[in-house]
């Protein structure tokens, strides 16, 4: 019912009462017994929409597009009451529908089976409601359902193909990370209350599975051996893999994207990747540590990814401090 309330408040604030009197009068005067005609249950639809994932997470990096499913909302007019969601209000019907101190224009169209709230004089588009049980309502329901089924099928297929590509990236990256990495770090306070630790050395060892160990030359830091990582995922810029510049818009057409990615080889993908990182969390006795491992100068040959250095960023719990620095493979 959010859209319904938005219409009411928007119309009230822009003074639509005076600007739309003539148009609403014409629509009502052509309908005999408007009070009776508006009575009943009405439904409005928001159609499904294909969008790009908005956040970086383990789930999001394995899909190129999202599908927001369709929604609906109902209103019901009795003789003197209107039900909006679960709330009931008194209303009056004249040149406008009046609910309390709010008024707004309306039209009954298509044999009185469409109820249209006319807000053409404001910045908000009108809302269209279908009489529940009418032929028009049934046709609209079928149309929305068919459209959503087609979109779901195409988006699912695209994401399945994309997932197979990203699996290659993540598998190759994990294999190349196996071993021990070491280097100097410096502390970076990310809040005004962060503790500035002295620079030092850090080492990180990946076992190729889900375990790692971490040590830094500071008594204030949490060191650990063979801890299980979680919330782990490889992140990268999809634009590069798609052959686009970082600022280029990614198409929301599943067919166009499928044509781009279906024949991409692993070598092509790693050549196009301009940024890549492996992020994860580690739960310790003193809290959760988040780390990001970002390799540079990637080389992919003969089915194998390799690199010599990486940037390791460690977020140390809730203290608001990061330690970061370049690490190189030592064994």
């Amino acid at each position: 019912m959010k859209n319904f309330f938005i219409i009411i408040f928007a119309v009230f604030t822009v003074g639509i009462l005076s600007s739309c009197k003539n148009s609403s009068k014409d629509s009502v005067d052509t309908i005999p017994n408007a009070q009776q005609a508006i009575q009943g249950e009405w439904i409005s639809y928001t159609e499904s929409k294909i969008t790009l994932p908005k956040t970086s997470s383990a789930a999001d990096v394995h899909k190129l597009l999202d599908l927001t499913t369709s929604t609906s909302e109902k209103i019901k007019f009795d003789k003197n009451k209107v039900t909006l969601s679960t709330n009931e209000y008194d209303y009056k019907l004249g040149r406008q529908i009046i609910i309390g101190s709010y008024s707004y224009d309306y039209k009954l169209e298509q044999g009185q089976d469409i109820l249209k709230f006319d807000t053409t004089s404001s910045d908000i588009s009108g809302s269209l409601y279908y009489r529940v049980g009418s032929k028009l309502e049934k046709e609209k329901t079928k149309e929305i359902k068919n459209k959503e089924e087609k979109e779901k099928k195409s988006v699912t297929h695209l994401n399945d193909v994309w997932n197979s590509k990203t699996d290659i990236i993540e598998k190759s990256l994990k294999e190349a990370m196996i071993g021990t990495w070491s280097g100097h770090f410096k502390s970076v306070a990310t809040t005004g209350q962060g503790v500035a630790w002295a620079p030092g050395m850090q080492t990180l060892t990946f076992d190729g599975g889900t375990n790692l160990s971490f040590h830094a030359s500071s008594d204030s830091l949490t060191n650990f051996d063979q801890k299980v990582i979680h919330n782990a995922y490889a992140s990268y810029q999809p634009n590069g893999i798609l052959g686009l510049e970082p600022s280029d818009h990614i198409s929301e057409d599943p067919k166009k994207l499928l044509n781009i990615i279906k024949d991409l080889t692993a070598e092509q993908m790693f050549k196009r990747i301009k940024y890549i990182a492996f992020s994860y969390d580690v739960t310790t006795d003193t809290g959760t540590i988040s780390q990001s491992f970002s390799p540079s100068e990637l080389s992919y040959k003969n089915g194998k990814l390799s690199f010599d250095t990486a940037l390791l960023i460690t977020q140390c719990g809730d203290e608001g401090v990061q330690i970061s620095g370049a690490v190189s493979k030592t064994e």
Side-chain angles (χ1 to χ4, degrees):
M1 296 316 302
K2 290 181 179 178
N3 292 336
F4 189 86
F5 283 113
I6 290 173
I7 294 171
I8 293 175
F9 285 106
V11 171
F12 178 71
T13 55
V14 299
I16 196 172
L17 282 172
S18 58
S19 63
C20 293
K21 281 184 178 180
N22 292 333
S23 63
S24 63
K25 180 180 183 299
D26 294 339
S27 63
V28 174
D29 287 349
T30 59
I31 303 173
N33 302 319
Q35 182 79 32
Q36 182 177 355
I38 204 172
Q39 291 179 30
E41 194 172 30
W42 303 80
I43 188 168
S44 180
Y45 299 97
T46 300
E47 296 189 13
S48 57
K49 186 178 181 181
I50 296 175
T51 58
L52 298 169
K54 294 182 179 180
T55 59
S56 294
S57 68
D60 287 338
V61 296
H62 289 286
K63 59 185 179 182
L64 262 180
L65 295 178
D66 274 325
L67 178 64
T68 303
T69 56
S70 60
T71 60
S72 64
E73 59 182 14
K74 288 184 179 180
I75 60 175
K76 183 179 180 181
F77 289 93
D78 294 323
K79 185 175 182 180
N80 298 310
K81 302 283 186 179
V82 57
T83 303
L84 314 176
S85 184
T86 58
N87 301 310
E88 192 176 73
Y89 304 92
D90 293 329
Y91 81 96
K92 293 181 180 179
L93 190 67
R95 293 180 178 178
Q96 287 105 6
I97 295 177
I98 302 172
I99 301 178
S101 59
Y102 303 107
S103 304
Y104 50 95
D105 292 350
Y106 74 99
K107 294 179 182 179
L108 286 168
E109 300 177 343
Q110 303 255 350
Q112 303 180 16
D113 283 337
I114 286 182
L115 172 61
K116 184 177 182 181
F117 296 103
D118 188 1
T119 57
T120 54
S121 63
S122 75
D123 293 333
I124 300 175
S125 59
S127 287
L128 205 64
Y129 287 79
Y130 298 83
R131 189 184 297 277
V132 174
S134 67
K135 180 180 179 181
L136 289 175
E137 185 261 332
K138 293 176 181 177
E139 290 175 346
K140 188 63 177 178
T141 300
K142 184 178 180 180
E143 174 190 327
I144 290 175
K145 182 180 179 181
N146 290 341
K147 174 177 175 287
E148 186 170 318
E149 286 178 351
K150 290 179 181 178
E151 288 178 336
K152 184 177 180 180
K153 184 177 180 180
S154 59
V155 168
T156 298
H157 179 54
L158 171 69
N159 286 338
D160 285 345
V161 175
W162 177 254
N163 185 57
S164 67
K165 303 292 183 180
T166 59
D167 279 348
I168 294 173
I169 295 174
E170 190 160 304
K171 181 176 180 292
S172 300
L173 183 56
K174 285 180 178 179
E175 289 176 349
M177 290 167 60
I178 295 174
T180 299
W181 302 77
S182 181
H184 292 275
F185 73 80
K186 63 180 180 178
S187 62
V188 179
T190 56
T191 70
Q193 299 177 354
V195 179
W197 294 313
M201 289 291 295
Q202 61 182 341
T203 60
L204 181 74
T205 301
F206 295 94
D207 68 357
T210 59
N211 299 312
L212 61 85
S213 63
F214 172 75
H215 293 271
S217 56
S218 173
D219 293 337
S220 301
L221 298 176
T222 299
N223 297 311
F224 54 84
D225 289 311
Q226 293 299 299
K227 290 290 185 180
V228 177
I229 63 176
H230 55 95
N231 295 332
Y233 62 93
S235 59
Y236 31 78
Q237 297 171 333
N239 296 62
I241 297 177
L242 296 172
L244 306 173
E245 294 298 325
S247 60
D248 288 344
H249 173 70
I250 297 177
S251 172
E252 294 175 3
D253 184 337
K255 291 183 179 179
K256 288 183 179 179
L257 290 176
L258 186 61
N259 286 334
I260 295 174
I261 69 171
K262 63 181 181 180
D263 296 324
L264 279 179
T265 65
E267 186 173 0
Q268 289 173 322
M269 289 189 293
F270 280 111
K271 280 184 177 180
R272 294 179 177 185
I273 289 176
K274 295 185 171 52
Y275 166 83
I276 189 169
F278 189 69
S279 302
Y280 50 86
D281 295 333
V282 179
T283 302
T284 70
D285 294 337
T286 58
T288 299
I289 292 178
S290 298
Q291 291 188 318
S292 175
F293 185 90
S294 305
S296 57
E297 298 182 3
L298 304 179
S299 175
Y300 190 88
K301 294 180 179 179
N302 302 320
K304 186 177 181 180
L305 177 68
S306 62
F307 50 86
D308 295 324
T309 60
L311 175 65
L312 178 64
I313 299 176
T314 303
Q315 179 70 39
C316 305
D318 298 326
E319 294 179 313
V321 176
Q322 290 180 346
I323 63 171
S324 64
V327 292
S328 298
K329 198 167 188 178
T330 60
E331 59 180 78

